[in-house]
């Protein structure tokens, strides 16, 4: 990770982390999905490192029940640090201490998972009246220049809210918020090509998860935003939609009536780690980029046999034939009855217990119900 960037006009970021992670059950039954390891770091740490590299000074993590592992990860661990120090594992000690020193972190609880718009609204008082960034942890982006840094530069030029977008196949529009945009002119395209960064678009409309035939474009909203503080009153008056959730896209659509919003097609490779296949792709590609793992891991992959036999589903074993039923057991013969035992004489009364008191029956104190 590079050193902290110079002071940014965007100082604060919100990270919604109150979701239940149902797509990764049963792994997320007790473990927050944000803490799932991507190689050897939890997913959330990649996003926090992007924030730091972009010049963000403070991050607000919106949590829910069962998310204390996130707080523990970014806190100081005295026992672990002491153990590593005693054992002379200075490299690991340095890495562990770096995590707790990454950034100033605040936490606030979203009591119910009522949508992304509601999660951002929960952070209103901590954000204050200033532009702020929003990171969604499912989207991990590998880029030459951190994507949020790219977007902060766009915000500095436009003074508007900025939304990260990416082109997707139209049949996937049901999975995303989609934007309608004005086509950038030739000058804008030339400037983007010269900088090696992405195109900017002026947004004319936003639609939450439309069917393909109703998608206004193929530009999908990705989990990176810079929002003006005026978004908060618009979210407060946004009605809950399907499932009782307040959608950020609906709040942005309302904000668009009052001020411009810019879409930015960022430069970088995005991985959807909220999807199992996307998570596996990210794991493989991030491991291949690692100096300490890449060569050996690549050699391992190249040795794998990926022919039809290797990927064919394993057939369940054939059921073993049932054993023949055993012959019926022979009927038992009745045992002869025992002769009646002679009546035993009544036991002699015990003289006394130790201590000289006689044993007496204690009447029951149990009372009948009712």
């Amino acid at each position: 990770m590079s050193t902290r960037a110079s002071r940014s006009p965007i100082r604060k970021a919100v990270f919604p982390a109150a979701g239940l992670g149902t797509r990764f059950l049963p792994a997320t039954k007790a473990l927050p999905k944000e803490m799932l390891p991507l190689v050897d770091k939890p997913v959330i740490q990649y996003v926090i490192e992007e924030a730091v590299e972009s010049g963000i000074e403070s991050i607000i993590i919106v949590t829910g029940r069962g998310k204390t592992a996130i707080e523990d990860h970014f806190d100081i661990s005295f026992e672990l640090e002491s153990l590593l120090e005693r054992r002379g594992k200075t490299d690991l000690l340095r890495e562990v201490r770096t995590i707790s020193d990454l950034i100033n972190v605040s936490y606030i609880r979203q009591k119910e998972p009522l949508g992304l718009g509601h999660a951002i609204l929960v952070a209103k008082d901590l954000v204050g009246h200033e532009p702020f960034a929003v990171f969604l942890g499912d989207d991990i982006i590998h880029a030459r220049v951190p994507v949020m840094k790219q977007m902060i530069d766009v915000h500095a030029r436009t003074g508007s809210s900025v939304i990260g977008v990416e082109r997707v196949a139209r049949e996937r529009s049901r999975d995303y918020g989609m934007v309608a945009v004005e086509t950038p002119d030739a000058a804008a395209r030339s400037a983007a090509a010269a900088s090696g960064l992405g195109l900017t678009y002026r947004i004319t409309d936003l639609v939450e998860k439309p069917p393909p035939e109703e998608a206004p474009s193929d530009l999908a909203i990705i989990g990176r935003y810079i929002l003006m503080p005026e978004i908060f009153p618009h979210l407060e008056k946004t009605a809950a939609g399907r499932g009782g959730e307040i959608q950020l896209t609906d709040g942005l659509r309302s904000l668009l009536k009052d001020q411009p919003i810019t879409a930015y097609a960022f430069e970088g490779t995005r991985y959807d780690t909220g999807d199992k296949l996307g998570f596996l792709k990210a794991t493989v590609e991030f491991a291949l980029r690692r100096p300490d793992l890449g060569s050996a891991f690549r050699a391992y992959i190249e040795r794998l046999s990926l022919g039809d036999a290797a990927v064919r589903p394993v057939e369940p074993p054939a059921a073993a034939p049932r054993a023949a039923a055993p012959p019926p057991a022979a009927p038992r013969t009745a045992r002869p009855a025992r002769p009646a035992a002679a009546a035993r004489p009544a036991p002699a009364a015990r003289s006394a217990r130790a201590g000289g008191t006689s044993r007496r029956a204690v009447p029951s104190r149990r009372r009948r119900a009712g």
Side-chain angles (χ1 to χ4, degrees), residues 86-363:
R86 288 198 310 271
R87 295 184 176 179
K89 297 185 176 182
T90 55
D91 290 344
L92 286 176
L93 177 62
R94 189 181 308 112
E95 188 168 353
V96 167
R97 285 178 173 168
T98 298
I99 295 170
S100 57
D101 293 337
L102 270 174
I103 197 170
N104 179 40
V105 183
S106 303
Y107 301 91
I108 190 166
R109 180 69 67 93
Q110 183 185 19
K111 296 179 180 178
E112 296 180 81
L114 296 178
L116 177 56
H118 181 263
I120 293 171
L121 197 53
V122 165
K124 175 184 175 182
D125 291 340
L126 292 176
V127 169
H129 194 75
E130 61 183 277
F132 63 100
V134 176
F135 292 84
L136 302 189
D138 285 348
D139 290 322
I140 304 299
I141 307 173
H142 176 76
R144 176 176 54 87
V145 178
V147 169
M148 186 53 67
K149 176 67 171 66
Q150 299 175 39
M151 294 175 62
I152 288 172
D153 292 344
V154 173
H155 169 76
R157 295 200 310 268
T158 64
S160 68
S161 296
V162 182
I163 299 175
V165 296
E166 181 181 62
R167 294 193 181 278
V168 299
R170 283 184 180 265
E171 55 267 24
R172 298 186 62 199
S173 64
R174 294 181 188 274
D175 298 328
Y176 297 93
M178 308 295 290
V179 296
V181 296
E182 295 178 355
T183 303
D185 57 24
R189 291 182 179 277
S190 298
S195 67
L197 299 178
L199 274 171
T200 58
Y201 304 82
R202 184 183 177 93
I203 293 178
T204 59
D205 198 8
L206 306 94
V207 185
E208 179 67 16
K209 298 180 179 179
E213 63 275 10
E214 297 177 16
S217 73
D218 60 353
L219 291 171
I221 299 173
I222 304 305
R224 298 293 184 275
Y225 306 79
I226 293 175
L227 301 179
M228 301 299 288
E230 289 80 12
I231 188 62
F232 290 120
H234 287 273
L235 288 173
E236 288 172 337
K237 66 183 182 183
T238 297
R242 184 176 54 188
E245 296 187 347
I246 297 175
Q247 299 295 342
L248 176 59
T249 302
D250 295 336
L252 289 169
R253 194 177 193 187
S254 176
L255 178 66
L256 186 60
K257 298 174 184 177
D258 294 342
Q259 57 183 241
I261 301 177
T262 302
Y264 175 66
F266 56 85
E267 181 278 325
T269 303
R270 179 184 72 97
Y271 303 90
D272 181 5
T273 61
D275 170 76
K276 291 178 183 177
L277 180 57
F279 187 88
L280 291 173
K281 290 178 180 178
T283 300
V284 170
E285 295 191 27
F286 272 77
L288 288 172
R289 293 190 188 103
R290 286 273 294 263
D292 58 334
L293 295 173
S295 297
F297 189 43
R298 185 181 302 277
Y300 165 74
I301 291 175
E302 290 172 351
R303 289 196 305 268
L304 285 177
S305 173
L306 298 178
D308 291 341
V311 298
R312 187 180 299 124
V314 177
E315 298 291 338
R322 292 186 176 182
R332 285 182 164 183
T333 56
R335 293 183 178 179
R338 290 184 177 180
R344 293 184 180 180
R350 296 183 182 178
S351 57
R353 295 176 60 192
T357 57
S358 62
R359 181 188 296 268
R360 294 186 301 165
V362 180

Side-chain angles (χ1 to χ4, degrees), residues 17-69:
L20 299 177
T22 54
R23 286 190 286 178
F24 275 84
L25 284 170
T28 51
K29 181 175 182 290
L31 178 71
K33 68 173 182 175
E34 297 82 8
M35 293 300 296
L36 291 174
L38 189 55
V39 187
D40 58 359
K41 292 191 293 190
V43 168
I44 188 173
Q45 187 171 330
Y46 288 89
V47 179
I48 300 299
E49 288 175 353
E50 180 187 332
V52 172
E53 292 174 342
S54 300
I56 302 293
E57 299 172 9
S58 178
I59 194 154
I60 302 156
I61 301 180
V62 182
T63 66
R65 287 186 296 276
K67 300 283 185 168
T68 55

